[in-house]
Amino acid sequence: MNIDTILFDLDGTLIDTNELITASFEHTFKKHNLSFTKEEIMGFNGPPLLDTFHNIDPERADVLVKTYREHNLAEHDRYVKAFPYAVETIQKLKNSGKKVGIVSTKMAKSVHMGLTLTGLQPLFNTIITYDDVHHAKPHPEPVIKAMKELDADGASTLMVGDNYHDIVAGKNAGVQTAGVSWAHKGRDSLLAYKPTYMLEDMRDLLKITGV
């Protein structure tokens, strides 16, 4: 079946926030006397922040989240940029009549900051953030909510992301999935979850969707 709806994760998929995320974790750990390697920090990228910090230090999780978010928001515009061909590819998809949406585990404020900074904000038909759901990815709720808002059918929907949460959430929601080869954790980390497609370049979506 043709793909009519494409849902995107944001960080690490459409916009490059990898350095910002690493810097925000490093700042937080330094301030609270915690120590992790860059490899360990890379592993923290993806799940909701509260979950990550709760696993690290349950008693101080809320404080750690607050420190992280303060740094992340303050430094946001200095680090963040769109990945190559992201803006023009989504513009072409939308111009062709495809429905496009964001499904992110970040809070709404951060999501809209990234979209506005990179010029992506006006392109999406729906934007689902951490604030809009009870269960974040890999639970299927965010993907299903986006599909409902777009009146989309699971068989003709594609979920695109850079983290296993995106692939698993898509599969749990009964949609096709695509990993991105520029994932911070590497393409092999996504191939292990058997996405329907692996994008080497954002423009691959134009071929996959027949645009």
Side-chain angles (χ1 to χ4, degrees), residues 3 5 11 20 22 25 47-48 58-59 65 72 76 104 109 121 159 162 166-167 175 177 199-200:
I3 296 171
T5 303
D11 288 37
L20 174 63
T22 298
F25 273 120
E59 293 183 0
V65 167
N72 193 273
H76 181 277
S104 174
K109 183 176 181 179
Q121 180 77 36
M159 176 70 214
D162 70 307
D166 305 308
I167 307 304
V175 308
T177 58
L199 308 182
E200 303 300 331

Side-chain angles (χ1 to χ4, degrees), residues 42-55:
M42 190 184 300
F44 298 145
N45 186 358
L49 270 182
L50 187 58
D51 293 352
T52 294
F53 284 125
H54 189 270
N55 289 333

Side-chain angles (χ1 to χ4, degrees), residues 45-82:
N45 186 358
L49 270 182
L50 187 58
D51 293 352
T52 294
F53 284 125
H54 189 270
N55 289 333
I56 292 171
D57 188 338
E59 293 183 0
R60 293 194 292 170
D62 289 338
V63 175
L64 294 170
V65 167
K66 184 174 184 294
T67 299
Y68 177 101
R69 285 188 175 141
E70 286 174 350
H71 181 274
N72 193 273
L73 292 173
E75 298 294 321
H76 181 277
D77 289 4
R78 195 158 69 88
Y79 284 93
V80 175
K81 59 183 181 295

Side-chain angles (χ1 to χ4, degrees), residues 1 8 10 23 33 53 56 63 105 123 144 147 166 177 180 190 203:
M1 180 177 270
F8 296 89
L10 183 60
N33 299 311
F53 284 125
I56 292 171
V63 175
T105 57
L123 300 180
I144 292 170
M147 285 196 294
D166 305 308
T177 58
V180 299
L190 293 178
R203 294 171 295 183

Side-chain angles (χ1 to χ4, degrees), residues 151-170:
D151 193 25
D153 178 74
S156 59
T157 297
L158 178 69
M159 176 70 214
V160 183
D162 70 307
N163 199 288
Y164 85 87
H165 294 78
D166 305 308
I167 307 304
V168 175

Side-chain angles (χ1 to χ4, degrees), residues 29-191:
F29 295 146
K30 183 176 180 180
K31 182 172 181 178
H32 295 284
N33 299 311
L34 294 165
S35 180
F36 293 93
T37 66
K38 284 193 178 291
E39 289 72 23
E40 288 171 325
I41 289 173
M42 190 184 300
F44 298 145
N45 186 358
L49 270 182
L50 187 58
D51 293 352
T52 294
F53 284 125
H54 189 270
N55 289 333
I56 292 171
D57 188 338
E59 293 183 0
R60 293 194 292 170
D62 289 338
V63 175
L64 294 170
V65 167
K66 184 174 184 294
T67 299
Y68 177 101
R69 285 188 175 141
E70 286 174 350
H71 181 274
N72 193 273
L73 292 173
E75 298 294 321
H76 181 277
D77 289 4
R78 195 158 69 88
Y79 284 93
V80 175
K81 59 183 181 295
F83 278 112
Y85 311 114
V87 177
E88 48 265 59
T89 295
I90 292 167
Q91 185 70 69
K92 288 179 180 178
L93 289 169
K94 189 169 184 182
N95 289 347
S96 75
K98 305 295 184 186
K99 292 175 284 190
V100 290
I102 290 289
V103 179
S104 174
T105 57
K106 287 180 69 175
M107 294 180 73
K109 183 176 181 179
S110 298
V111 167
H112 289 288
M113 281 181 69
L115 291 173
T116 300
L117 180 67
T118 55
L120 288 162
Q121 180 77 36
L123 300 180
F124 293 98
N125 303 108
T126 189
I127 298 170
I128 305 298
T129 73
Y130 182 75
D131 300 316
D132 300 315
V133 296
H134 297 291
H135 306 285
K137 296 176 295 186
H139 194 282
E141 182 190 351
V143 178
I144 292 170
K145 185 176 178 66
M147 285 196 294
K148 284 183 178 177
E149 292 198 359
L150 297 176
D151 193 25
D153 178 74
S156 59
T157 297
L158 178 69
M159 176 70 214
V160 183
D162 70 307
N163 199 288
Y164 85 87
H165 294 78
D166 305 308
I167 307 304
V168 175
K171 288 188 172 187
N172 288 341
V175 308
Q176 298 179 66
T177 58
V180 299
S181 62
W182 52 93
H184 197 40
K185 297 174 186 177
R187 72 197 305 277
D188 288 346
S189 69
L190 293 178
L191 285 173

